[in-house]
Amino acid sequence: MYEFILPNAWLIALLPFLAAALIFIFVHRWPGISAGLSIFAIMTSFVLSIPVALAVFAQEGGTVFEFSTRWLSMPGLNVDMGLLLDPLTAVMLIVVTSIASLVQIYSLGYMKGDPGFSSYFAYQSLFAASMLGLVVANNFGQMFVFWELVGICSYFLIGFWFGRDSAKNAAIKAFVTNRVGDFGFLLGILFLQIVFGTLNFTGLSQEIATYTNMAVLIPLSILLFFGPMGKSAQFPLHVWLPDAMEGPTPVSALIHAATMVAAGVYLVARAFFIFSAVPQAMTFIAIIGAITAIFAASIAMAQNDIKRILAYSTLSQLGYMMMAMGVGAMTAGMFHLMTHAFFKSLLFLGAGSVIVAMHEEQDIWKMGNLYKKMPVTTWTFIIGALALCGIPPLSGFWSKDEILLAAYASGNLGLYILGSLVAFLTAFYMFRLIFVAFFGSNSYGEEKAHENSPVMTVPLIILAVAAVLVGFVNSPLMHHAFGHFIKHPAGIQPEPSTAIMISSTLIALAGIGLAWLIYQKKLLSHEALREKFSGIYQLLKNKYYIDEIYARFGEVLVYGAARAMFWFDIQVVNGLVNGIAFLTGKSGETLRYTEDGQVQSYASYMMAGVLIMVVLALIAVESALL
């Protein structure tokens, strides 16, 4: 059975590609057929992913299947296409196909009546297919092709409502920011090809194992990490992700949970054999991840838009994952990617349910008492928030503790303290959102809201169940099955610690308790706190003014350089070209008078020329004699 399933796993990525092509070419005019085709394709991919995962995990350590064929060959360059199936691939296939399936089903209700309904599902299929193609790639070259396809699909979906200037600007911002990271990534790939002569993951892992020239490996690994910095929105290339909220909310769920931002973390895990061989690169990754985690968590505390709060939460959790990778805990980072995919997609789809019920209102202060009219959305959202906060026994508890434990075991106490502070802030801002939007005193939300149709609420319930149960795959109850298969020889897998488990839970509960005191019991006035710490509040509300700094940088340096080059082009280059053209024209005008058609004139010119030559010859002879 497995001999048939594994070689044909390429169908998992191909089916959504075919669905997108069929929608664009043949059935675009029929929205119902377009949606049905898209959902059928991704659900079939999910069904196919299950036996592939079972086949991979069937043996001790996980089965590895690889198929490769030559796509392009020329002197000095061979480009292959192939398929790599191992435990890392299997986990990502299940995560991407399951969440994409639920998101597309949910979209039937969310996008109902939208004029771009068919295009939306075509883009969704192409987006999922691009991510799946990236996941199964067996070499960096093939991965980069799908990496760029993921980027262009995100551009289409973020700017889906292109009639809004904010959506167009957000799409351009995402595209341009990712070009910065992808440029570094591409340089790293070219570097690999030049140095090692191959881009195949298996071949490279064998080469790197015996390569010791750090002068090459350090810049190479840093360049490769530029790609994940862009795709996974790590500081300072984080600015595109919050603005990606301009797309439809199901798109946000897919981008923030299972596709685009997950691609960066997956790349670090896939290329862990490179990064783990370079201590400087690992330190760099851990520091960038830690900065991103605390930076985004602090900003989330002062945001009022329900989707932006979740967006900065995603940034913070991605920083968590990168920090785990940087301290050597590849297993913990991938485990958190998996659990985060389920509870974060739940939270975004829950936010979308609220936005639909509130007629596109996204300000949490204009909501309130939603639990009375939206019980399913409310309690599934709370389950997702508890999982995000790491409250036992929900999924986030197991994965968050793995990261904190790895940070502590690495010997870097600063990273552990920072990770614990992020856990506290996460619990605070998530339950600030819940107490204000779902249990707040504003009756406006209660009067306006209503629960949505089953096509939107059933995916919430399924994801809520997953948010509770999926973390158990790496718990003692299942003998740490996830860590048993998803591991790397160079990674660390510290023993569980009851003390860290208890302390992290208490820290999260303290954050929830503080939010309850301020926003529910009102023992502390949030207005008074804002006024007392107005400077800090404005700094956080304005996102540390990073966007303004980038805008100023662009205006002064980029646009300034462009204006200088424009002046040089017009005044110097054009001036020189126009000057030569003017002289040529004037010369022609003058010389045309010598062309009068009379033989006598031509004879005179000839004689004058001969005389000039004779005089020049005599001068030359005289000079030679002297």
Side-chain angles (χ1 to χ4, degrees):
M1 177 182 175
Y2 294 153
E3 289 76 10
F4 173 77
I5 291 171
L6 293 178
N8 293 290
W10 52 271
L11 289 170
I12 296 171
L14 180 64
L15 289 174
F17 265 121
L18 290 177
L22 290 173
I23 293 170
F24 278 127
I25 298 171
F26 297 111
V27 300
H28 192 272
R29 68 180 68 183
W30 298 294
I33 297 175
S34 298
L37 185 60
S38 178
I39 293 171
F40 174 77
I42 192 62
M43 292 193 72
T44 304
S45 294
F46 171 64
V47 171
L48 292 175
S49 297
I50 294 173
V52 168
L54 293 175
V56 169
F57 292 128
Q59 295 183 6
E60 180 72 19
T63 303
V64 174
F65 172 84
E66 184 171 7
F67 167 78
S68 186
T69 185
R70 185 58 44 85
W71 180 45
L72 175 65
S73 180
M74 61 179 66
L77 178 64
N78 294 316
V79 181
D80 294 336
M81 291 184 66
L83 185 71
L84 176 63
L85 300 175
D86 64 0
L88 198 59
T89 307
V91 168
M92 290 301 297
L93 288 177
I94 294 293
V95 169
V96 174
T97 56
S98 62
I99 291 177
S101 297
L102 292 171
V103 166
Q104 289 196 28
I105 293 170
Y106 175 95
S107 297
L108 288 172
Y110 190 91
M111 298 298 293
K112 184 179 180 180
D114 193 285
F117 192 86
S118 293
S119 296
Y120 171 84
F121 277 94
Y123 291 145
Q124 281 273 10
S125 286
L126 186 59
F127 199 15
S130 301
M131 185 65 190
L132 292 169
L134 185 155
V135 166
V136 300
N138 75 330
N139 64 82
F140 275 110
Q142 184 178 336
M143 175 182 273
F144 186 76
V145 172
F146 288 105
W147 183 274
E148 292 303 304
L149 278 173
V150 168
I152 194 64
C153 289
S154 70
Y155 172 79
F156 293 147
L157 287 166
I158 292 169
F160 183 76
W161 287 320
F162 52 83
R164 305 174 182 173
D165 287 341
S166 57
K168 289 187 291 188
N169 293 335
I172 293 170
K173 189 175 185 179
F175 190 79
V176 171
T177 305
N178 275 276
R179 297 290 68 72
V180 176
D182 292 355
F183 178 67
F185 182 31
L186 180 59
L187 289 179
I189 291 174
L190 295 175
F191 209 160
L192 283 171
Q193 176 65 39
I194 292 169
V195 175
F196 300 106
T198 181
L199 296 177
N200 180 271
F201 296 133
T202 304
L204 281 171
S205 64
Q206 296 169 355
E207 294 284 343
I208 295 290
T210 58
Y211 195 81
T212 58
N213 188 346
M214 286 296 166
V216 170
L217 288 179
I218 291 173
L220 188 154
S221 57
I222 298 299
L223 285 172
L224 287 177
F225 185 62
F226 266 76
M229 284 179 69
K231 277 287 188 290
S232 290
Q234 298 296 286
F235 180 88
L237 300 180
H238 66 281
V239 291
W240 69 268
L241 191 57
D243 288 357
M245 298 300 97
E246 293 296 333
T249 302
V251 171
S252 302
L254 203 57
I255 289 177
H256 287 247
T259 53
M260 187 163 176
V261 298
V265 179
Y266 172 76
L267 172 60
V268 176
R270 175 57 72 199
F272 198 72
F273 61 89
I274 298 176
F275 296 113
S276 60
V278 188
Q280 296 87 345
M282 295 291 279
T283 302
F284 181 72
I285 293 171
I287 291 173
I288 291 295
I291 291 172
T292 305
I294 189 67
F295 174 83
S298 62
I299 293 174
M301 294 193 300
Q303 301 304 305
N304 299 323
D305 184 308
I306 187 171
K307 287 176 67 176
R308 284 186 176 270
I309 294 171
L310 297 179
Y312 281 105
S313 170
T314 300
L315 278 175
S316 183
Q317 297 304 305
L318 289 168
Y320 246 131
M321 298 172 207
M322 288 299 185
M323 185 177 75
M325 296 287 182
V327 299
M330 189 268 277
T331 301
M334 283 302 300
F335 184 39
H336 197 56
L337 183 151
M338 182 183 73
T339 61
H340 177 265
F342 288 100
F343 59 69
K344 186 52 64 68
S345 58
L346 168 60
L347 289 169
F348 268 108
L349 295 185
S353 181
V354 169
I355 292 167
V356 168
M358 295 293 294
H359 306 286
E360 303 305 313
E361 182 57 67
Q362 295 183 200
D363 190 337
I364 61 173
W365 294 102
K366 295 181 180 179
M367 302 174 188
N369 280 326
L370 296 179
Y371 79 96
K372 294 182 178 179
K373 294 291 186 71
M374 306 181 69
V376 175
T377 300
T378 299
W379 296 109
T380 54
F381 193 94
I382 290 173
I383 289 172
L386 289 171
L388 174 59
C389 297
I391 301 300
L394 283 78
S395 58
F397 163 74
W398 304 103
S399 57
K400 181 197 72 174
D401 273 22
E402 286 278 331
I403 294 175
L404 292 177
L405 182 61
Y408 185 81
S410 71
N412 194 324
L413 189 60
L415 290 180
Y416 169 73
I417 293 173
L418 188 144
S420 299
L421 177 58
V422 170
F424 173 81
L425 296 179
T426 300
F428 175 79
Y429 66 68
M430 282 307 302
F431 275 83
R432 168 183 176 264
L433 185 163
I434 288 171
F435 290 135
V436 172
F438 291 94
F439 298 96
S441 57
N442 191 340
S443 61
Y444 181 71
E446 181 182 353
E447 296 168 1
K448 197 173 184 180
H450 58 85
E451 190 62 273
N452 289 293
S453 63
V455 76
M456 294 178 68
T457 56
V458 170
L460 295 180
I461 295 170
I462 294 172
L463 286 169
V465 173
V468 174
L469 298 179
V470 74
F472 283 101
V473 299
N474 205 37
S475 70
L477 296 175
M478 295 189 68
H479 307 289
H480 302 286
F482 187 91
H484 182 68
F485 287 102
I486 308 295
K487 59 184 177 181
H488 190 277
I492 63 170
Q493 289 183 280
E495 292 297 321
S497 169
T498 304
I500 288 180
M501 184 184 302
I502 294 173
S503 63
S504 67
T505 303
L506 292 176
I507 288 169
L509 291 173
I512 295 172
L514 182 60
W516 179 74
L517 288 174
I518 296 174
Y519 298 101
Q520 188 66 28
K521 294 299 291 183
K522 302 189 188 307
L523 295 181
L524 296 171
S525 169
H526 63 87
E527 293 94 345
L529 288 172
R530 272 206 307 263
E531 186 176 344
K532 183 175 182 180
F533 300 102
S534 59
I536 297 175
Y537 175 76
Q538 289 300 323
L539 183 67
L540 299 180
K541 185 176 175 61
N542 289 285
K543 304 161 288 187
Y544 293 94
Y545 298 97
I546 299 294
D547 288 84
E548 289 77 6
I549 292 171
Y550 280 178
R552 186 63 178 163
F553 173 82
E555 181 181 347
V556 173
L557 292 181
V558 178
Y559 297 148
R563 285 191 291 268
M565 293 175 71
F566 176 78
W567 179 89
F568 182 82
D569 180 53
I570 297 299
Q571 301 298 325
V572 178
V573 176
N574 285 6
L576 180 62
V577 172
N578 291 339
I580 293 173
F582 176 79
L583 291 175
T584 303
K586 287 297 182 183
S587 299
E589 289 180 8
T590 303
L591 290 172
R592 70 178 178 156
Y593 294 111
T594 64
E595 302 295 326
D596 55 8
Q598 297 185 13
V599 175
Q600 297 93 324
S601 298
Y602 297 154
S604 300
Y605 301 151
M606 184 180 297
M607 288 300 298
V610 170
L611 288 174
I612 292 171
M613 293 177 65
V614 170
V615 171
L616 292 174
L618 291 174
I619 293 173
V621 170
E622 185 181 359
S623 298
L625 292 174
L626 293 175

